[in-house]
Amino acid sequence: MPLRLGPTFAEALAAADRPLAGMWVCSGSALVAEICAGSGLDWLLVDAEHSPNGLESILAQLQAISGYPVQTLVRPPVNDTVLIKQYLDLGIQNLLIPMVNTVADAEAAVAATRYPPEGVRGVGSALARAARWNRVPDYLARASTTISLTVQIESATAVDAVEDILAVDGVDAIFVGPSDLAASMGLLGQQEHPDVRAAVERCLVAAVRAGKPAGVNAFNADTARHYLDHGASFVLVGADVALLARGSEALAAAFIPPAVDSADGTSPVSY
């Protein structure tokens, strides 16, 4: 029976009448991903750059999430043509590519998502979940319309090139990562520094002028609202692992007296 793939994240952004709010899914657990998918948030980001996710665990999470009305993006660990091919064949429709610092980086990411002659994506639709094993009619001809590409601006170099990156055909949106951006500016751990915020705002303004959506990572609610007020179309406002860490710590603080286990006032960590 012929099948039809759902709308992309880019299409969801275009149809939205408000900014879209989402969260990181970093645990590597399909069960946790499904819990997050049913939360009522607009979108999820399954991360493989800083999280223990391989192809098999990502596939399981895609399958767990698929029954819920939520958009799913996946971030590979690197902007790599072979890895992007595998992600696309896995059925990932929405990619967030990290560390896109130049126009050349952005063009390489676009090329990896396009079949020849527009790009360099390997052809394996008969073997791949992307085409539902050739059950999606005309998949090869229409594949690029089933994929959205968001590139991550997370360095001072990328901020300087943001207007040119936004102009690359095939880049649907940008996403600003203040943590790595701060580090690249010599302000490690200072995401709220005025210079970092100004750099983020520059990217948001550039995106509005280019007519493309821009998102930003902001776990602080006031910061998230600030960036939304300055043109962000989508935000990440939390993470599954962070919610579990802070929630479990709150339980411990409520029911267990504090104890100091070492001379420097910290508790030992087991590996």
Side-chain angles (χ1 to χ4, degrees):
M1 184 177 99
L3 299 176
R4 180 175 60 86
L5 298 176
T8 66
F9 186 57
E11 291 169 331
L13 285 169
D17 58 4
R18 58 169 176 79
L20 302 185
M23 68 178 292
W24 296 82
V25 178
C26 305
S27 67
S29 164
L31 180 62
V32 172
E34 185 171 3
I35 293 170
C36 297
S39 65
L41 288 166
D42 299 304
W43 65 289
L44 305 177
L45 175 60
V46 177
D47 179 51
E49 183 181 14
H50 296 297
S51 305
N53 272 312
L55 295 176
E56 291 81 2
S57 67
I58 292 172
L59 174 59
Q61 289 170 84
L62 292 177
Q63 292 168 332
I65 293 168
S66 64
Y68 296 84
V70 63
Q71 286 284 325
T72 307
L73 279 71
V74 183
R75 181 171 73 170
V78 65
N79 183 8
D80 177 80
T81 298
V82 173
L83 193 57
I84 290 173
K85 172 180 66 176
Q86 291 181 299
Y87 274 40
L88 294 177
D89 284 350
L90 204 63
I92 294 166
Q93 289 185 256
N94 307 302
L95 287 168
L96 174 64
I97 304 300
M99 290 294 178
V100 173
N101 296 315
T102 65
V103 167
D105 290 342
E107 290 174 340
V110 172
T113 68
R114 302 291 193 265
Y115 288 122
E118 288 80 17
V120 296
R121 180 182 175 186
V123 181
S125 58
L127 310 175
R129 182 176 180 268
R132 300 307 187 266
W133 304 277
N134 276 348
R135 291 170 180 159
V136 176
D138 301 320
Y139 178 80
L140 291 177
R142 301 188 306 105
S144 63
T145 68
T146 70
I147 297 165
S148 81
L149 178 66
T150 302
V151 300
Q152 196 157 358
I153 306 297
E154 47 186 340
S155 70
T157 299
V159 172
D160 287 341
V162 68
E163 289 86 0
D164 294 331
I165 291 172
L166 281 160
V168 172
D169 186 29
V171 169
D172 295 303
I174 62 170
F175 184 78
V176 186
S179 294
D180 279 302
L181 176 57
S184 78
M185 297 171 65
L187 298 166
L188 182 64
Q190 300 181 59
Q191 296 92 303
E192 302 290 343
H193 191 281
D195 291 347
V196 177
R197 289 170 69 112
V200 174
E201 290 165 18
R202 173 182 167 181
C203 294
L204 298 178
V205 169
V208 170
R209 288 175 177 167
K212 291 186 177 181
V216 63
N217 190 53
F219 284 12
N220 180 290
D222 290 337
T223 302
R225 293 187 182 97
H226 173 83
Y227 289 139
L228 290 170
D229 290 340
H230 283 73
S233 299
F234 55 107
V235 288
L236 284 174
V237 292
D240 57 350
V241 291
L243 290 171
L244 181 57
R246 302 294 85 78
S248 57
E249 289 162 5
L251 291 174
F255 292 100
I256 298 175
V260 175
D261 297 317
S262 61
D264 64 359
T266 63
S267 297
V269 176
S270 298
Y271 294 93

